[in-house]
Structure formats: C-alpha cells, structure tokens
Amino acid sequence: MVCEDCGEREAAVHLTSIEAAEMQSIHLCVGCAAERGISPESADADAPGTPPLVDFLAQLGSPGPKTPVPDSAEPCPFCGISAGDFRRTGRVGCSQCYVHFETQLRGLLRRIHGSSQHAGKLYLNEASDLSDRLGQLSSMRRRLKRAVETEDFETAAELRDRIHEIEMKE
Amino acid sequence: MIQPSEVLGDRGLDWIRGGDEAEIVLSSRIRVARNLQGFAFPGRSGPEERADVVEMIQAAAERIESLDGGSFWGIEELDFLDREILVERHLISRDLLAARPGASSAALVLARETSCGVMVNEEDHIRLQALVGGLGLDAAWRQADRMDEELGALLPLAFHHQFGFLTACPTNVGTGLRASVLIHIPGLVLTKEVSKVLEGISQVGLTYRGLYGEGSEVVGNFFQISNQTTLGKTEEDLIDHLGRVTGKVIEYERSARSVLLAEAPSVLEDKVWRAYGILRTARSLALEEMMNLLSGVRLGVSLKLLKSPRVETLNDILVRGQSAHLERAAGAKLTEHEADVCRATYVRDKLARDERDAGHAPADGTSDTTAVDGPPSGG
C-alpha cells in the first residue's frame, strides 16, 4: 500500500479512527506520519503481523532497547516461573508474578493494551468468612500433605488437629 | 451423582430463540476471567491446588442467586460425548478439556434458565460467561456482571491496584473482559467487501475469528468479532465500542445485500433457493456443507426471499446438526459417513416440521419469487 500523503513511499503507519460513527483509515509512510506528528512507535502496536506479545517475548530473548529484561531476573518466589518460562508459554504463573515482574509487565501491557492502568471495575477485598475459611483449609491441607511426605509428623499432627477444629465449626 | 447426559437437555441453548438483529447477529457473549488470590494459576498449579480451587468455587457458586438451580460437574464426570456437546454449544472450550488429568482438575457450572456458566480451572481459575441471542451485549453484561459481583463477594480474587484483575495471559488482564458477537455477513463476503471491513475492525482495537474461536476457520460466513484489549478502559466502554462497530458492520452488510438484490437478483435468488432445496432434500450432508447452505437460507429468510424457516429453526440446526449432538440423538457412535446421513435426515425433518408449523412452504404467497420463472425483463 502506498502512502496517502506523498503517494510514493510504502505506507508503514496505519491508523483508524472513529469520528461521528464514521470509521476512517489513513495509511502513511514513516516520513509523512512524522510530519503529521504521528509517531511510528505509538502506532506500530497496531501494525499487522507484529503482535506485541510476540515482539515482547522476542525481546525477552534478546534484550532490545525498548523494554530490556535482565537475563538475571530471579524466578517468581511464589510459583517459581522464570522469564524463560514466560517467554515460552506467554503465560505468567500466578498473581505474584505481576508484582515480581512488574517493571517488564508494565511495558508489555502498555504495548498490548495501549495502557497499563486499569480503569474498570474495582475489587474491594471483602471476601466473607466462607472464603477465608475455605482458603485457610486448602492451604492447611496442602501443608499437611507436604508434612506427611517429608515425614514431619509433628507438624502433620498439629495441622490435622487445626483442620479438624475448623471443620467442626462449619 | 447427577448424570450430565440426563440433565444436559437444552442447557445453554437459550440464545437460539434470537433477539435484536437476530437475522444477522446470532449471539452476543460476555466472558470474564478471574483468579483466586493465593493460588498459582491453573497452568502452574498441581492437582491438589486445582482441587482446592474447584472446591472453593463450587462452594461459592452454590450460594449465589445468579446461578440458582444450576448444575456443577467435574470434567471427569462428563463422558466424552457430553464434553463434545458442550464444546459444540460453546459452553466450554477445548482448553478446559485439555486440563491436566487428576481428580477434580477442572469443572463447569451451568445455570438452569439462562445460558450463563462458569468454567473452573481453564486458563484462569474462573471464566464466567453469559450468552444471549441476537445483538444483546448489554443484557449479557448485566448477567455476567451479576455473577462476577456475587462470586467476588464470596471469593478472594487476584486484583492489582494498577493492573486490575490478574490473569494467566497478560492479554486478558485488567477487566478480564472479552465481549463478542457472532455475526453472519454473507453480503459482504459475496460483494468481496469483507476483507476491507475486517481490516477496519482489526484497526479499531477489535479482532475477528471463525465460528469456533481462536484459530478456527471461517465457515458459513459466520464471524466472531471481539475486543482485543482489556486494560485501560471500563467494561462499559469496551462493550459500547464493540456494540457500535457491530452496528456499523450490520449497516455495511445491509447495504451489500441491497447491492446484490439490485444488481444480481436472479443470481441471489437462485443461490438461496438452491441452498434451501439441498437442505430440504439431501440424503447426506457434511458439516461444512450444511453450514454454508444454512448461510444461504439465512440470507434468504432475512431478505424475505423465503417465508420460512424461522431464524430459531436455523439456529437450532446450527447447534444440533453438529456431530456430537447427532450422536447423542442417534444413541450410537457414528462414522463420518453415518453422521452425514443422520445430519441430512435431521435437517430434512426439521425443515419439514417448520414448513408444517408455518402452514406453508417457503414460496407460498411470495410474489417476488415468481419473477424468476419469467425471462429477465428489459432484455
């Protein structure tokens, strides 16, 4: 596609806007886009063929200038996922990853969504007694199993009693 | 234990009855992704942790009004055919079926009256969805939002002050919302305008797919359009944007149909009638062929070239003409060839019944269909 302004160079910046319910597309080369004050950096997230996630993942492999990710990044302390795992699967492992990899993820989110700030519904953590109790129980059951596996019978006995206690309250 | 096949019945098929713009928009869907605090996401958690998550969500789901009278199934409790039927109804995803084996590794909650449901331990701990017939994104959002509010009051959800609701894939983070419409645009396909429209769609923060979601082929001129981004805008803005663009696509589709009617009426009519004729008489129908013919008939009904069948009948065939549904109806495993034969029989019966209910064949009383019998005028 040829640039709509100069009609010479190949269009590299594609912008679509909706004004008064009319969809309008413009296709510009990098030079003409710059003249109109449109930066290719802000537009290239929409360019076909380069999904931002792929871009980002590639950068994780070979740190580029935009969002450098230190190779030495420690794995997430909660779920153990590493930058490499993330690069391979495109998925983080747990909610703590968003804290652990916050800097890198903020850049990625901006490129995927054009923003890194949530604007939707808020969640006030008012989880009821029920969820507290269930969460507590699950976590204790997991610890109990681990204690049994590692033959830490003292801890296991203590956990068993506490689980029993909570279950009796229901 | 409830035997799913006994109670699956018509669950999740509420949308078939249609809604606004039902001739062009089959259904509107809202899907919301949520995760529980303190648990690794399903892709990273072990069998025990997954079982705990299932247990917590089941306990919460049983207490909420929006899923009152609903049913809960562990994926392991569902036999192969039930799972396939649920996929064919778009109530669960292939990803949920691919859940790691193990006790209660994944589960499904389905409401009784509405096409609302919750997938547990798919890519995220919670994927709730609401599906309504026709163009009804707001109605679907109201249902999904209510489920979300009720579940959120009982469960500790993973939420970040800046990033919003946290999800396994960064593409869903923030609102966790995926709004989509399943739209039938044969006019744009026939006038070869469709790629232009789809290109426009992908440049305004939306994306499109075939009938069965990510990576699926486009069959029968059915496209699924959905929001691509989930962060930085409110749920209402995302839904509103999709609604407005869908309205625009409907408008383009209508004008493409007008062009076809004006410029090639006999070609269009022939196409529609052939499609109906084949569906009404064929003895063997492959799925893709059925989908494409249903597209032709739907176009005919929409343009009033055909007086029947009803849109609801066409929606019904789209669902129940699929292989797992046919197998369930036949009560036996079917080879591909047998399924094609069963499909043709099912479609013939269904259309014949619709003609009987309507009290006429599609042509009766439509004066414009007689025009094709005569020679083209003005020649």
Side-chain angles (χ1 to χ4, degrees):
Chain A
M1 190 179 292
V2 179
C3 171
E4 289 175 14
D5 272 10
C6 63
E8 289 171 7
R9 291 179 289 267
E10 187 68 11
V13 178
H14 311 271
L15 277 185
T16 302
S17 58
I18 296 189
E19 273 160 37
E22 279 297 326
M23 228 188 276
Q24 289 185 330
S25 301
I26 50 169
H27 309 279
L28 306 168
C29 70
V30 176
C32 295
E35 274 175 31
R36 287 200 188 197
I38 301 164
S39 118
E41 274 78 23
S42 67
D44 73 357
D46 288 332
T50 54
L53 189 58
V54 174
D55 259 19
F56 174 76
L57 297 177
Q59 282 170 26
L60 273 179
S62 55
K66 282 180 190 163
T67 23
V69 178
D71 280 341
S72 59
E74 294 288 319
C76 168
F78 183 82
C79 70
I81 209 169
S82 66
D85 295 331
F86 176 45
R87 186 167 60 228
R88 202 167 28 80
T89 61
R91 307 283 186 275
V92 294
C94 69
S95 47
Q96 286 303 310
C97 289
Y98 282 94
V99 178
H100 184 70
F101 298 111
E102 184 168 343
T103 322
Q104 297 95 307
L105 280 168
R106 185 174 296 123
L108 169 65
L109 293 174
R110 222 173 272 139
R111 286 174 58 75
I112 294 175
H113 301 282
S115 164
S116 62
Q117 180 60 53
H118 178 56
K121 281 171 70 171
L122 294 176
Y123 175 70
L124 302 170
N125 198 347
E126 290 170 348
S128 73
D129 287 355
L130 168 75
S131 70
D132 281 354
R133 213 163 54 234
L134 286 172
Q136 234 180 332
L137 272 176
S138 321
S139 132
M140 276 197 284
R141 284 198 191 113
R142 277 200 304 279
R143 281 166 58 202
L144 171 62
K145 181 149 191 262
R146 262 200 300 276
V148 172
E149 277 165 3
T150 56
E151 301 187 353
D152 178 359
F153 297 115
E154 202 177 319
T155 310
E158 194 188 316
L159 283 167
R160 187 201 54 212
D161 292 346
R162 282 174 57 199
I163 290 172
H164 186 65
E165 214 173 285
I166 296 178
E167 281 175 340
M168 290 311 285
K169 277 192 208 157
E170 285 201 349
Chain B
M1 190 187 296
I2 307 165
Q3 283 306 308
S5 48
E6 288 170 21
V7 293
L8 210 50
D10 287 347
R11 272 178 206 249
L13 295 183
D14 180 58
W15 68 270
I16 278 179
R17 291 201 300 269
D20 290 349
E21 306 281 3
E23 287 156 17
I24 296 182
V25 179
L26 279 81
S27 60
S28 304
R29 173 196 316 265
I30 301 287
R31 190 221 65 196
V32 178
R34 296 287 184 256
N35 284 284
L36 301 186
Q37 234 173 59
F39 293 89
F41 296 152
R44 193 71 189 170
S45 56
E48 276 171 74
E49 205 170 359
R50 294 172 69 96
D52 287 344
V53 167
V54 169
E55 190 185 318
M56 279 178 78
I57 296 171
Q58 177 171 16
E62 279 169 0
R63 281 170 171 78
I64 68 175
E65 275 179 30
S66 48
L67 287 170
D68 193 27
S71 302
F72 181 96
W73 298 293
I75 284 300
E76 291 78 11
E77 295 167 35
L78 295 163
D79 67 27
F80 176 77
L81 200 52
D82 281 323
R83 296 179 194 189
E84 288 299 313
I85 285 176
L86 289 166
V87 171
E88 288 182 354
R89 291 186 189 179
H90 293 244
L91 294 173
I92 64 174
S93 62
R94 293 257 168 230
D95 285 349
L96 190 73
L97 297 184
R100 292 181 198 171
S104 310
S105 61
L108 170 73
V109 188
L110 280 184
R112 188 176 47 189
E113 303 291 339
T114 58
S115 303
C116 283
V118 181
M119 282 190 277
V120 184
N121 278 340
E122 200 230 31
E123 184 180 294
D124 295 300
H125 293 140
I126 298 174
R127 285 282 177 97
L128 52 89
Q129 79 162 12
L131 182 63
V132 305
L135 183 57
L137 287 166
D138 292 333
W141 167 239
R142 277 196 298 277
Q143 293 179 5
D145 187 32
R146 186 159 166 241
M147 272 192 284
D148 180 39
E149 289 291 321
E150 288 190 310
L151 285 173
L154 294 170
L155 295 165
L157 300 179
F159 185 82
H160 184 279
H161 64 282
Q162 192 188 359
F163 302 150
F165 291 96
L166 302 178
T167 53
C169 185
T171 54
N172 293 319
V173 90
T175 55
L177 180 115
R178 196 71 62 196
S180 64
V181 291
L182 185 55
I183 190 165
H184 179 233
I185 44 177
L188 291 169
V189 174
L190 287 169
T191 54
K192 304 201 176 2
E193 293 285 310
V194 73
S195 51
K196 224 189 297 173
V197 170
L198 295 176
E199 192 188 327
I201 281 170
S202 46
Q203 289 182 4
V204 292
L206 302 179
T207 181
Y208 66 92
R209 298 162 181 168
L211 190 51
Y212 295 100
E214 217 154 344
S216 68
E217 261 178 77
V218 172
V219 189
N221 306 318
F222 297 108
F223 292 80
Q224 201 170 296
I225 306 176
S226 61
N227 59 307
Q228 180 142 36
T229 61
T230 55
L231 180 64
K233 293 196 178 75
T234 65
E235 289 82 357
E236 286 78 10
D237 283 348
L238 290 168
I239 290 165
D240 191 51
H241 180 54
L242 175 64
R244 267 185 296 128
V245 175
T246 303
K248 203 77 199 156
V249 176
I250 293 173
E251 218 176 275
Y252 290 146
E253 170 65 18
R254 289 229 164 88
S255 60
R257 291 177 182 191
S258 308
V259 169
L260 288 169
L261 268 181
E263 291 182 4
S266 55
V267 177
L268 192 62
E269 230 163 351
D270 183 58
K271 193 174 165 58
V272 164
W273 276 98
R274 275 171 188 274
Y276 188 80
I278 295 172
L279 286 176
R280 187 71 181 78
T281 55
R283 261 51 185 169
S284 172
L285 271 178
L287 179 68
E288 195 173 333
E289 185 184 12
M290 178 190 79
M291 293 287 188
N292 289 328
L293 294 169
L294 282 173
S295 170
V297 172
R298 197 178 189 96
L299 177 63
V301 170
S302 182
L303 292 174
K304 304 200 170 16
L305 297 173
L306 298 175
K307 266 186 105 182
S308 69
R310 292 166 299 157
V311 168
E312 184 177 347
T313 302
L314 295 173
N315 288 346
D316 209 9
I317 296 174
L318 266 180
V319 176
R320 293 184 215 264
Q322 296 175 97
S323 303
H325 279 83
L326 293 170
E327 279 200 12
R328 168 68 77 227
K333 180 106 190 83
L334 302 173
T335 63
E336 202 179 322
H337 172 69
E338 288 166 340
D340 290 353
V341 172
C342 280
R343 184 173 294 118
T345 311
Y346 166 74
V347 173
R348 283 200 316 274
D349 287 353
K350 193 85 189 160
L351 292 178
R353 213 172 315 140
D354 194 283
E355 280 182 16
R356 264 202 310 279
D357 290 349
H360 58 73
D364 290 357
T366 51
S367 56
D368 46 354
T369 57
T370 54
V372 287
D373 296 333
S377 55

